[in-house]
Amino acid sequence: MARIAVIGAGTGAMAAAARLAVAGNKVTVYERSASYGGSLGRHEHEGFVFDTGPGLLHLPAVQRDLFVKTGKESLEQCVTLTQVDPASRHLFADGTAVSLPNASRAGVASALDAALGSGAGERWTGFLERARDAWDRSRRPLLEEPLRADHQVLGRDPYPALRQRRLLRTRQAATVAETGAWELADPRLAALLNAYALSYGLDPRAAPASAALLPYMEQTFGSWYVVGGMRELARAVYERCVARRVEFVFGAEVVRVVEKDGRAAGVELTGGEVAEADRVVLGVRPHAELVPGQQVWGADDVKVRAGTVPGRFVVLLSLRGGREAGAAHRSVVHSADAAAEREAVFGGRVAAHPTVTVLRPDDPATRPDEAHEAVTLSAVVAPRGPVEWTDPAVRQRFADVLVERAEAAVPRLRERILHTEIRTPAETEAETGAEGGAVPPPALAGAGGAYLHPGNLTRLPGLYLAGGWAHPGGGLAHAGMSGTLVAGLVVEGDGFRGSR
């Protein structure tokens, strides 16, 4: 029985902990905050309940596999999953609106044709077919295997972009923005694609065309909501860990990974206490202070991602008046000036015309009664640092902008507000420890490997990386896969190549 210390209680780290405990190891999780779940937080106010992190689950097979491999009760026996239909409603700057059905490619094509004109559905379907090719080419090395030593193969973009005549020569789209402009033709379809990338914290102007995998996964595997809020998923994973005898120590901040004889040998907590371990799993963003003097992050030349990684600005609204019949669970109000929005988000400024996502779950558990409604507004924003999100005036002005824009999706929104709670990257930083409140994006192939994350193996034997800042990146599905990969490496050894 090996002693394993896990740093952080996010869902990826807990997934690793549960799997490692089932394999017969003694696992202890050290979490700096007072609770588990990482980004899957919850806010409650006078009978209103809100998710403060992700509001929907995509690719639920990752979570289902975790529960199958760690106990008798399935995921559906521990939480109630419902498919969201329509998956999303989109309101474009020109006043056009379209509702996209859940996990129905034919239905999406029909909806796009009806809203945007004949041919729009065919162009989007063709794009998704090419995205499927990219999924088939990259799924295993990108999502299901530890980052290989020859990970440079993932530097090539798997998306089979169409060859087009541009500026007197044949070119292929290399970025999300080029894919939208060149292959989708309609600016509203381009806005739809760009918004998918932006929602994951990716700059469409720079992100490789392989980001086509993001809408492909959502529209193929569906959008799911956990009744009671997404925090219920974190609770279920935590309880599975406890059932497998994982020990949790809350309020325990790890300041250093202890090294002995050239390998990880435990963790040092604030105050100097040392907890010995045979292996250490780091489930938080890697930084140099954790292993002083060691260059251990990543495999070969994959380093911790640099540059601007955006955060999330969230407004939680307690509303008088019930949710109207037929209201969409998720609406996206697209920016009236997407170019300026991208310049602001990735240039460290506050956007004047943000893209706003509106979540309105039809869930009695989120509201005091049927005469009220809990609504969440969110936008991707620059992290704390470039923008001082602790400034009350800055916070309030931007919250007002989100509310104003969200009125396109929620009738009479402003007059219905009973209470407002504002959460910015400053709160994310304080609660999760992520520098600037940044939210990790998923890994992508292409762009010479610039969108990969550090591998699950490190150069310090006995130290492994899990969670959104490690391969294969951020998001519930990707972080969950990181836990699977770490458990496989610990149990089967460094030669583990993923389950087949």
Side-chain angles (χ1 to χ4, degrees):
M1 176 186 292
R3 299 167 301 170
I4 300 178
V6 178
I7 305 172
T11 54
M14 288 197 294
R19 291 175 182 272
L20 289 168
V22 166
N25 299 290
K26 179 177 174 53
V27 183
T28 304
V29 176
Y30 298 91
E31 167 58 45
R32 68 190 293 272
S33 72
S35 187
Y36 55 84
S39 64
L40 286 180
R42 170 180 284 168
H43 177 77
E44 301 183 29
H45 176 79
E46 296 183 351
F48 294 91
V49 177
F50 305 87
D51 288 319
T52 59
L56 292 171
L57 178 65
H58 305 296
L59 205 61
V62 174
Q63 307 300 331
R64 290 189 177 114
D65 183 69
L66 170 64
F67 280 79
V68 166
K69 300 293 176 57
T70 59
K72 295 180 180 180
E73 300 84 11
S74 68
L75 173 64
E76 280 79 357
Q77 288 175 295
C78 299
V79 298
T80 301
L81 289 177
T82 61
Q83 279 196 302
V84 176
D85 204 3
S88 56
R89 181 169 182 255
H90 294 265
L91 298 98
F92 298 103
D94 68 351
T96 306
V98 59
S99 292
L100 303 181
N102 198 351
S104 171
R105 191 171 301 176
V108 167
S110 295
L112 290 173
D113 277 339
L116 308 185
S118 178
E122 182 179 1
R123 289 194 297 277
W124 185 260
T125 298
F127 159 72
L128 285 185
E129 288 292 332
R130 294 187 291 277
R132 184 186 64 182
D133 290 344
W135 168 261
D136 291 340
R137 295 174 183 178
S138 61
R139 173 176 57 86
R140 185 161 183 82
L142 190 65
L143 293 175
E144 298 177 356
E145 294 181 343
L147 199 62
R148 292 160 38 179
D150 63 342
H151 64 268
Q152 289 83 2
V153 298
L154 288 172
R156 296 191 292 270
D157 197 318
Y159 178 77
L162 298 177
R163 295 184 176 276
Q164 301 200 13
R165 192 72 175 172
R166 295 277 165 178
L167 299 178
L168 303 181
R169 61 192 180 95
T170 300
R171 295 185 61 189
Q172 291 175 284
T175 67
V176 171
E178 289 178 346
T179 302
W182 299 359
E183 297 185 4
L184 297 178
D186 190 310
R188 294 163 297 185
L189 289 179
L192 180 62
L193 174 58
N194 289 338
Y196 271 107
L198 183 63
S199 70
Y200 284 91
L202 297 164
D203 185 349
R205 302 167 302 178
S210 64
L213 294 180
L214 302 175
Y216 171 80
M217 287 190 294
E218 179 176 318
Q219 294 190 12
T220 301
F221 304 112
S223 298
W224 301 78
Y225 173 70
V226 180
V227 173
M230 293 297 292
R231 175 70 178 177
E232 289 298 294
L233 176 62
R235 174 197 55 77
V237 177
Y238 168 74
E239 290 180 353
R240 179 55 54 90
C241 286
V242 172
R244 301 284 79 83
R245 301 184 186 278
V246 174
E247 179 183 357
F248 285 79
V249 183
F250 295 108
E253 182 172 5
V254 173
V255 296
R256 183 173 67 93
V257 174
V258 175
E259 179 188 353
K260 184 178 180 181
D261 299 328
R263 62 178 295 111
V267 297
E268 180 183 337
L269 307 177
T270 302
E273 178 186 355
V274 172
E276 296 182 351
D278 302 302
R279 293 178 176 84
V280 176
V281 177
L282 181 62
V284 299
R285 189 174 189 176
H287 57 88
E289 290 78 10
L290 280 170
V291 190
Q294 290 285 341
Q295 296 295 320
V296 301
W297 313 125
D300 298 334
D301 62 344
V302 176
K303 304 296 190 297
V304 179
R305 290 195 61 188
T308 298
V309 180
R312 303 291 186 273
F313 189 103
V314 180
V315 181
L316 310 176
L317 298 174
S318 303
L319 303 183
R320 64 171 64 87
R323 183 180 187 271
E324 71 270 16
H329 184 115
R330 175 178 55 168
S331 296
V332 180
V333 182
H334 291 263
S335 173
D337 191 343
E341 179 185 24
R342 294 191 291 266
E343 289 284 353
V345 170
F346 297 96
R349 301 188 305 278
V350 179
H353 300 281
T355 297
V356 180
T357 298
V358 182
L359 296 180
R360 307 177 67 189
D362 187 9
D363 183 356
T366 65
R367 54 189 182 247
D369 53 48
E370 295 301 311
H372 295 85
E373 182 181 9
V375 170
T376 301
L377 315 180
S378 65
V380 176
V381 295
R384 184 186 179 192
V387 176
E388 189 43 79
W389 290 117
T390 59
D391 185 325
V394 173
R395 296 161 64 96
Q396 190 59 57
R397 280 197 301 269
F398 196 65
D400 291 342
V401 169
L402 263 61
V403 169
E404 179 181 1
R405 293 187 51 72
E407 282 205 303
V410 185
R412 302 180 295 105
L413 177 59
R414 275 178 287 195
E415 67 185 68
R416 295 173 58 196
I417 296 174
L418 294 171
H419 180 78
T420 302
E421 184 74 21
I422 299 172
R423 298 176 59 85
T424 77
E427 281 74 31
T428 303
E429 181 177 44
E431 293 175 7
T432 69
E435 183 179 356
V439 177
L444 297 174
Y451 287 80
L452 299 176
H453 291 259
N456 310 105
L457 279 173
T458 74
R459 296 190 183 96
L460 180 64
L463 176 63
Y464 304 83
L465 303 184
W469 294 105
H471 178 75
L476 291 174
H478 291 69
M481 281 305 302
S482 76
T484 303
L485 299 177
V486 165
L489 288 166
V490 172
V491 173
E492 298 188 27
D494 293 357
F496 171 71
R497 299 311 313 150
S499 58
R500 296 185 182 274

Coordinates of all heavy atoms in Angstrom, one line a residue, residues 172-247:
Q172 N -5.4 27.5 -46.4 CA -6.3 26.8 -45.5 C -6.4 27.6 -44.2 O -5.5 28.2 -43.7 CB -5.8 25.4 -45.2 CG -5.9 24.4 -46.4 CD -5.2 23.1 -46.0 OE1 -4.0 23.0 -46.0 NE2 -6.1 22.1 -45.8
A173 N -7.6 27.6 -43.6 CA -7.8 28.3 -42.4 C -7.0 27.6 -41.3 O -6.9 26.4 -41.2 CB -9.3 28.2 -42.0
A174 N -6.3 28.5 -40.6 CA -5.4 28.0 -39.5 C -5.9 28.3 -38.1 O -5.4 27.7 -37.1 CB -4.0 28.6 -39.7
T175 N -6.8 29.2 -38.0 CA -7.4 29.6 -36.7 C -8.9 29.5 -36.7 O -9.5 29.3 -37.7 CB -7.0 31.0 -36.4 OG1 -7.7 31.9 -37.3 CG2 -5.5 31.3 -36.5
V176 N -9.4 29.6 -35.5 CA -10.9 29.6 -35.4 C -11.5 30.7 -36.2 O -12.5 30.5 -36.9 CB -11.3 29.7 -33.9 CG1 -12.8 29.9 -33.7 CG2 -10.8 28.4 -33.1
A177 N -11.0 31.9 -36.0 CA -11.5 33.1 -36.7 C -11.5 32.9 -38.2 O -12.5 33.2 -38.9 CB -10.8 34.3 -36.3
E178 N -10.4 32.3 -38.8 CA -10.3 32.1 -40.2 C -11.3 31.0 -40.6 O -11.9 31.1 -41.7 CB -8.9 31.7 -40.6 CG -7.9 32.9 -40.5 CD -6.5 32.4 -40.8 OE1 -6.2 31.2 -40.9 OE2 -5.6 33.3 -41.0
T179 N -11.5 30.0 -39.8 CA -12.4 28.9 -40.1 C -13.8 29.5 -40.3 O -14.6 29.2 -41.2 CB -12.4 27.8 -39.1 OG1 -11.1 27.3 -39.0 CG2 -13.4 26.7 -39.4
G180 N -14.2 30.3 -39.3 CA -15.5 30.9 -39.3 C -15.7 31.8 -40.5 O -16.8 31.8 -41.2
A181 N -14.7 32.7 -40.8 CA -14.9 33.6 -41.9 C -14.8 33.0 -43.3 O -15.6 33.3 -44.2 CB -13.8 34.7 -41.8
W182 N -13.9 32.0 -43.5 CA -13.7 31.4 -44.8 C -14.6 30.3 -45.1 O -15.0 30.1 -46.2 CB -12.3 31.0 -44.9 CG -11.2 32.0 -44.7 CD1 -11.5 33.4 -44.5 CD2 -9.8 31.9 -44.8 NE1 -10.3 34.1 -44.4 CE2 -9.3 33.2 -44.6 CE3 -9.0 30.8 -44.9 CZ2 -7.9 33.4 -44.5 CZ3 -7.6 31.0 -44.9 CH2 -7.1 32.3 -44.7
E183 N -14.9 29.4 -44.1 CA -15.7 28.2 -44.4 C -17.2 28.3 -44.1 O -18.0 27.6 -44.7 CB -15.1 27.0 -43.6 CG -13.7 26.7 -44.0 CD -13.1 25.5 -43.3 OE1 -13.9 24.8 -42.5 OE2 -11.9 25.2 -43.4
L184 N -17.5 29.2 -43.1 CA -18.9 29.3 -42.7 C -19.7 30.4 -43.4 O -20.9 30.4 -43.5 CB -19.1 29.4 -41.2 CG -18.5 28.2 -40.4 CD1 -18.6 28.5 -38.9 CD2 -19.3 27.0 -40.8
A185 N -18.9 31.4 -43.9 CA -19.4 32.5 -44.8 C -20.3 33.4 -44.1 O -20.1 34.6 -44.1 CB -20.1 31.9 -46.0
D186 N -21.4 32.9 -43.4 CA -22.3 33.8 -42.7 C -21.7 34.4 -41.5 O -21.2 33.6 -40.6 CB -23.6 33.0 -42.4 CG -24.7 33.9 -41.9 OD1 -24.5 34.7 -41.0 OD2 -25.8 33.8 -42.4
P187 N -21.7 35.7 -41.2 CA -21.1 36.2 -40.0 C -21.7 35.7 -38.7 O -21.1 35.7 -37.7 CB -21.2 37.7 -40.2 CG -22.3 37.9 -41.2 CD -22.2 36.7 -42.1
R188 N -23.0 35.3 -38.8 CA -23.6 34.8 -37.6 C -23.1 33.4 -37.3 O -22.9 33.0 -36.1 CB -25.1 34.8 -37.8 CG -25.7 36.3 -37.9 CD -27.1 36.3 -38.5 NE -27.1 35.8 -39.8 CZ -28.2 35.8 -40.6 NH1 -29.3 36.3 -40.1 NH2 -28.1 35.4 -41.9
L189 N -22.9 32.6 -38.3 CA -22.3 31.3 -38.1 C -20.9 31.4 -37.5 O -20.4 30.7 -36.7 CB -22.3 30.5 -39.4 CG -23.6 29.9 -39.9 CD1 -23.4 29.2 -41.2 CD2 -24.3 29.0 -38.8
A190 N -20.1 32.4 -38.1 CA -18.8 32.7 -37.6 C -18.8 33.1 -36.1 O -18.0 32.7 -35.3 CB -18.1 33.8 -38.5
A191 N -19.8 34.0 -35.8 CA -20.0 34.4 -34.4 C -20.3 33.2 -33.5 O -19.8 33.1 -32.4 CB -21.1 35.4 -34.3
L192 N -21.1 32.3 -34.0 CA -21.4 31.1 -33.2 C -20.1 30.3 -32.9 O -19.9 29.9 -31.8 CB -22.4 30.2 -34.0 CG -22.9 28.9 -33.4 CD1 -23.6 29.2 -32.1 CD2 -23.8 28.1 -34.3
L193 N -19.3 30.1 -33.9 CA -18.1 29.3 -33.7 C -17.1 30.1 -32.8 O -16.5 29.5 -31.9 CB -17.4 29.0 -35.1 CG -16.0 28.4 -35.0 CD1 -16.1 27.0 -34.3 CD2 -15.5 28.2 -36.4
N194 N -16.9 31.4 -33.1 CA -16.0 32.2 -32.2 C -16.5 32.2 -30.8 O -15.6 32.1 -29.9 CB -16.0 33.6 -32.8 CG -15.2 33.7 -34.1 OD1 -14.4 32.8 -34.5 ND2 -15.5 34.7 -34.8
A195 N -17.8 32.2 -30.5 CA -18.3 32.2 -29.2 C -18.0 30.9 -28.4 O -17.7 30.9 -27.2 CB -19.8 32.5 -29.2
Y196 N -18.0 29.8 -29.1 CA -17.6 28.5 -28.5 C -16.2 28.6 -28.0 O -15.9 28.2 -26.9 CB -17.7 27.4 -29.5 CG -19.1 26.7 -29.6 CD1 -19.9 26.9 -30.6 CD2 -19.5 25.9 -28.5 CE1 -21.2 26.3 -30.7 CE2 -20.7 25.3 -28.6 CZ -21.6 25.5 -29.7 OH -22.8 24.9 -29.7
A197 N -15.3 29.1 -28.9 CA -13.9 29.2 -28.4 C -13.7 30.2 -27.3 O -13.1 29.9 -26.3 CB -13.0 29.7 -29.6
L198 N -14.4 31.3 -27.4 CA -14.2 32.3 -26.3 C -14.8 31.8 -25.0 O -14.2 32.1 -23.9 CB -15.0 33.6 -26.7 CG -14.9 34.8 -25.7 CD1 -13.4 35.3 -25.6 CD2 -15.8 35.9 -26.1
S199 N -15.8 31.0 -25.0 CA -16.4 30.5 -23.8 C -15.5 29.6 -23.0 O -15.6 29.5 -21.8 CB -17.7 29.8 -24.1 OG -17.5 28.5 -24.8
Y200 N -14.5 29.0 -23.7 CA -13.5 28.2 -23.1 C -12.2 29.0 -22.8 O -11.2 28.5 -22.4 CB -13.1 27.0 -24.0 CG -14.2 25.9 -23.9 CD1 -15.2 25.9 -24.9 CD2 -14.1 24.9 -23.0 CE1 -16.2 24.9 -24.9 CE2 -15.0 23.9 -23.0 CZ -16.1 23.9 -23.9 OH -17.0 22.9 -23.9
G201 N -12.3 30.3 -23.0 CA -11.1 31.2 -22.7 C -10.1 31.2 -23.8 O -8.9 31.5 -23.5
L202 N -10.5 30.9 -25.0 CA -9.6 30.9 -26.1 C -9.8 32.0 -27.1 O -11.0 32.4 -27.3 CB -9.8 29.5 -26.9 CG -9.5 28.3 -26.1 CD1 -10.1 27.1 -26.9 CD2 -8.0 28.1 -26.0
D203 N -8.7 32.6 -27.5 CA -8.8 33.8 -28.5 C -9.0 33.2 -29.9 O -8.1 32.6 -30.4 CB -7.5 34.6 -28.4 CG -7.6 35.8 -29.2 OD1 -8.5 36.0 -30.0 OD2 -6.7 36.7 -29.1
P204 N -10.2 33.5 -30.5 CA -10.4 32.9 -31.8 C -9.4 33.3 -32.9 O -9.2 32.6 -33.9 CB -11.8 33.4 -32.2 CG -12.5 33.7 -30.8 CD -11.4 34.2 -30.0
R205 N -8.8 34.5 -32.7 CA -7.8 35.0 -33.6 C -6.6 34.2 -33.6 O -5.8 34.1 -34.6 CB -7.5 36.4 -33.3 CG -8.6 37.4 -33.3 CD -8.3 38.7 -32.7 NE -7.8 38.6 -31.3 CZ -7.3 39.5 -30.6 NH1 -7.3 40.8 -31.1 NH2 -6.9 39.3 -29.3
A206 N -6.3 33.5 -32.5 CA -5.0 32.7 -32.4 C -5.2 31.2 -32.2 O -4.4 30.4 -32.6 CB -4.2 33.3 -31.2
A207 N -6.3 30.8 -31.6 CA -6.6 29.4 -31.3 C -6.6 28.6 -32.6 O -7.2 29.0 -33.6 CB -7.9 29.2 -30.5
P208 N -6.0 27.4 -32.6 CA -6.0 26.7 -33.9 C -7.3 26.2 -34.3 O -8.3 26.1 -33.5 CB -5.1 25.5 -33.5 CG -5.1 25.4 -32.0 CD -5.3 26.8 -31.5
A209 N -7.5 25.9 -35.6 CA -8.7 25.4 -36.1 C -9.2 24.2 -35.4 O -10.4 23.9 -35.4 CB -8.6 25.2 -37.6
S210 N -8.4 23.4 -34.8 CA -8.8 22.2 -34.1 C -9.7 22.5 -32.9 O -10.3 21.5 -32.4 CB -7.5 21.5 -33.5 OG -6.9 22.2 -32.5
A211 N -9.9 23.7 -32.5 CA -10.9 24.1 -31.5 C -12.3 23.7 -32.0 O -13.3 23.8 -31.3 CB -10.8 25.6 -31.2
A212 N -12.4 23.3 -33.3 CA -13.7 22.8 -33.8 C -14.2 21.6 -33.0 O -15.4 21.3 -33.0 CB -13.5 22.4 -35.3
L213 N -13.3 21.0 -32.3 CA -13.7 19.8 -31.4 C -14.7 20.3 -30.3 O -15.5 19.5 -29.9 CB -12.4 19.3 -30.7 CG -11.4 18.6 -31.6 CD1 -10.2 18.1 -30.7 CD2 -12.0 17.4 -32.4
L214 N -14.6 21.5 -29.9 CA -15.4 22.0 -28.8 C -16.9 22.0 -29.2 O -17.7 21.4 -28.5 CB -15.0 23.3 -28.3 CG -13.5 23.4 -27.9 CD1 -13.0 24.8 -27.5 CD2 -13.2 22.4 -26.7
P215 N -17.3 22.7 -30.3 CA -18.7 22.5 -30.6 C -19.1 21.1 -31.1 O -20.2 20.7 -30.9 CB -18.9 23.5 -31.8 CG -17.5 23.8 -32.3 CD -16.6 23.6 -31.1
Y216 N -18.1 20.4 -31.7 CA -18.4 19.0 -32.1 C -18.8 18.2 -30.8 O -19.8 17.4 -30.9 CB -17.2 18.4 -32.8 CG -17.4 16.9 -33.0 CD1 -18.2 16.4 -34.1 CD2 -16.9 16.0 -32.2 CE1 -18.4 15.1 -34.3 CE2 -17.0 14.6 -32.3 CZ -17.8 14.2 -33.4 OH -18.0 12.8 -33.6
M217 N -18.0 18.2 -29.8 CA -18.3 17.4 -28.6 C -19.6 17.8 -28.0 O -20.4 16.9 -27.6 CB -17.2 17.6 -27.6 CG -15.9 16.9 -27.9 SD -14.7 16.9 -26.6 CE -14.3 18.6 -26.4
E218 N -19.9 19.1 -27.9 CA -21.2 19.5 -27.3 C -22.4 19.0 -28.1 O -23.4 18.5 -27.6 CB -21.2 21.0 -27.1 CG -22.5 21.5 -26.5 CD -22.5 23.0 -26.3 OE1 -21.5 23.5 -25.8 OE2 -23.5 23.6 -26.5
Q219 N -22.3 19.2 -29.4 CA -23.5 18.9 -30.3 C -23.6 17.4 -30.6 O -24.6 17.0 -31.0 CB -23.4 19.7 -31.6 CG -23.6 21.2 -31.3 CD -23.7 22.1 -32.6 OE1 -24.0 21.5 -33.6 NE2 -23.6 23.4 -32.4
T220 N -22.5 16.7 -30.3 CA -22.6 15.2 -30.5 C -23.0 14.5 -29.2 O -23.8 13.6 -29.3 CB -21.2 14.7 -31.0 OG1 -20.9 15.3 -32.2 CG2 -21.3 13.2 -31.2
F221 N -22.4 14.9 -28.1 CA -22.6 14.1 -26.9 C -23.6 14.8 -26.0 O -24.0 14.3 -24.9 CB -21.3 13.9 -26.1 CG -20.2 13.2 -27.0 CD1 -19.1 13.9 -27.4 CD2 -20.4 11.9 -27.4 CE1 -18.2 13.2 -28.2 CE2 -19.5 11.3 -28.2 CZ -18.4 11.9 -28.6
G222 N -24.0 16.0 -26.3 CA -25.1 16.7 -25.6 C -24.7 17.6 -24.4 O -23.5 17.6 -24.0
S223 N -25.6 18.3 -24.0 CA -25.5 19.2 -22.8 C -26.3 18.7 -21.7 O -27.5 18.4 -21.9 CB -25.9 20.6 -23.2 OG -25.0 21.2 -24.2
W224 N -25.8 18.5 -20.5 CA -26.5 17.9 -19.4 C -26.4 18.8 -18.2 O -25.4 19.5 -17.9 CB -25.8 16.6 -19.0 CG -25.8 15.6 -20.1 CD1 -25.0 15.6 -21.2 CD2 -26.7 14.5 -20.3 NE1 -25.3 14.5 -22.1 CE2 -26.3 13.8 -21.5 CE3 -27.7 13.9 -19.6 CZ2 -27.0 12.7 -22.0 CZ3 -28.4 12.8 -20.0 CH2 -28.0 12.2 -21.2
Y225 N -27.5 18.8 -17.4 CA -27.6 19.6 -16.2 C -27.8 18.6 -15.0 O -28.5 17.6 -15.2 CB -28.8 20.5 -16.3 CG -29.1 21.3 -15.0 CD1 -28.2 22.2 -14.5 CD2 -30.2 21.0 -14.2 CE1 -28.5 22.9 -13.3 CE2 -30.5 21.6 -13.1 CZ -29.6 22.6 -12.6 OH -29.9 23.3 -11.4
V226 N -27.2 18.9 -13.9 CA -27.3 18.1 -12.7 C -28.4 18.7 -11.8 O -28.2 19.9 -11.4 CB -26.0 18.0 -11.9 CG1 -26.2 17.1 -10.7 CG2 -24.9 17.3 -12.8
V227 N -29.4 18.0 -11.6 CA -30.5 18.6 -10.8 C -30.0 19.0 -9.4 O -29.3 18.2 -8.7 CB -31.7 17.6 -10.6 CG1 -32.7 18.1 -9.7 CG2 -32.3 17.3 -12.0
G228 N -30.3 20.2 -8.9 CA -29.8 20.7 -7.7 C -28.6 21.6 -7.9 O -28.1 22.2 -7.0
G229 N -28.1 21.6 -9.1 CA -26.9 22.4 -9.5 C -25.7 21.5 -9.6 O -25.6 20.4 -9.1
M230 N -24.7 22.1 -10.4 CA -23.5 21.3 -10.7 C -22.7 21.0 -9.5 O -21.9 20.1 -9.4 CB -22.7 22.1 -11.7 CG -23.3 22.2 -13.1 SD -23.6 20.6 -13.9 CE -21.9 20.1 -14.2
R231 N -22.9 21.7 -8.4 CA -22.2 21.4 -7.1 C -22.6 20.0 -6.7 O -21.8 19.4 -6.0 CB -22.6 22.4 -6.1 CG -22.1 22.2 -4.7 CD -20.6 22.4 -4.6 NE -20.1 22.2 -3.2 CZ -18.9 22.3 -2.9 NH1 -17.9 22.6 -3.8 NH2 -18.5 22.1 -1.6
E232 N -23.7 19.5 -7.0 CA -24.1 18.2 -6.7 C -23.2 17.1 -7.3 O -22.9 16.1 -6.7 CB -25.6 17.9 -7.1 CG -26.6 18.6 -6.3 CD -26.5 18.2 -4.8 OE1 -26.8 17.0 -4.5 OE2 -26.2 19.0 -4.0
L233 N -22.6 17.4 -8.4 CA -21.6 16.5 -9.0 C -20.4 16.4 -8.2 O -19.8 15.4 -7.9 CB -21.3 16.9 -10.4 CG -20.2 16.1 -11.2 CD1 -20.6 14.7 -11.3 CD2 -19.9 16.7 -12.5
A234 N -19.9 17.6 -7.7 CA -18.8 17.7 -6.8 C -19.0 16.9 -5.5 O -18.2 16.1 -5.0 CB -18.4 19.1 -6.5
R235 N -20.2 17.1 -5.0 CA -20.6 16.3 -3.8 C -20.5 14.8 -4.0 O -20.0 14.1 -3.2 CB -22.0 16.7 -3.3 CG -22.5 15.9 -2.1 CD -24.0 16.0 -2.0 NE -24.8 15.6 -3.2 CZ -25.0 14.4 -3.6 NH1 -24.4 13.3 -2.9 NH2 -25.6 14.1 -4.7
A236 N -21.1 14.4 -5.1 CA -21.1 12.9 -5.4 C -19.7 12.4 -5.6 O -19.4 11.3 -5.1 CB -21.9 12.7 -6.7
V237 N -18.8 13.1 -6.2 CA -17.4 12.7 -6.4 C -16.7 12.6 -5.0 O -16.0 11.7 -4.7 CB -16.6 13.5 -7.4 CG1 -15.2 13.1 -7.4 CG2 -17.3 13.5 -8.7
Y238 N -16.9 13.7 -4.2 CA -16.4 13.7 -2.9 C -16.8 12.5 -2.0 O -16.0 11.8 -1.4 CB -16.8 15.0 -2.2 CG -16.5 15.1 -0.7 CD1 -15.2 15.2 -0.2 CD2 -17.5 15.0 0.2 CE1 -14.9 15.2 1.1 CE2 -17.3 15.0 1.6 CZ -16.0 15.1 2.0 OH -15.7 15.2 3.4
E239 N -18.1 12.2 -2.1 CA -18.7 11.1 -1.3 C -18.1 9.8 -1.8 O -17.9 8.9 -1.0 CB -20.2 11.2 -1.3 CG -20.8 12.3 -0.5 CD -22.3 12.4 -0.5 OE1 -22.9 11.6 -1.3 OE2 -22.9 13.2 0.2
R240 N -17.9 9.7 -3.1 CA -17.3 8.5 -3.6 C -15.9 8.3 -3.0 O -15.5 7.2 -2.7 CB -17.3 8.5 -5.1 CG -16.7 7.2 -5.8 CD -17.3 5.9 -5.3 NE -18.7 5.8 -5.5 CZ -19.3 5.4 -6.5 NH1 -18.6 5.0 -7.6 NH2 -20.6 5.3 -6.6
C241 N -15.1 9.4 -3.0 CA -13.8 9.4 -2.4 C -13.9 8.9 -0.9 O -13.1 8.0 -0.5 CB -13.1 10.7 -2.5 SG -12.6 11.2 -4.1
V242 N -14.8 9.5 -0.2 CA -14.9 9.2 1.3 C -15.3 7.7 1.4 O -14.7 7.0 2.3 CB -15.9 10.1 1.9 CG1 -16.2 9.6 3.4 CG2 -15.4 11.5 2.0
A243 N -16.2 7.2 0.6 CA -16.5 5.8 0.6 C -15.4 4.9 0.3 O -15.3 3.7 0.8 CB -17.7 5.5 -0.4
R244 N -14.4 5.3 -0.4 CA -13.2 4.6 -0.8 C -12.1 4.8 0.2 O -11.0 4.5 0.0 CB -12.8 4.8 -2.2 CG -13.8 4.6 -3.3 CD -13.9 3.1 -3.6 NE -14.8 2.4 -2.6 CZ -16.1 2.3 -2.6 NH1 -16.8 3.0 -3.5 NH2 -16.8 1.7 -1.7
R245 N -12.4 5.5 1.3 CA -11.5 5.7 2.5 C -10.4 6.7 2.1 O -9.3 6.7 2.7 CB -10.9 4.4 3.0 CG -11.9 3.4 3.5 CD -11.2 2.2 4.1 NE -12.2 1.2 4.4 CZ -12.9 1.2 5.6 NH1 -12.8 2.2 6.4 NH2 -13.8 0.2 5.8
V246 N -10.7 7.7 1.2 CA -9.8 8.8 1.0 C -10.0 9.7 2.2 O -11.1 10.1 2.6 CB -10.1 9.5 -0.3 CG1 -9.3 10.8 -0.5 CG2 -9.9 8.6 -1.5
E247 N -8.9 10.2 2.7 CA -8.9 11.2 3.8 C -8.8 12.6 3.3 O -7.9 12.8 2.4 CB -7.8 10.9 4.8 CG -7.7 11.9 6.0 CD -6.6 11.7 6.9 OE1 -5.8 10.7 6.7 OE2 -6.4 12.5 7.9

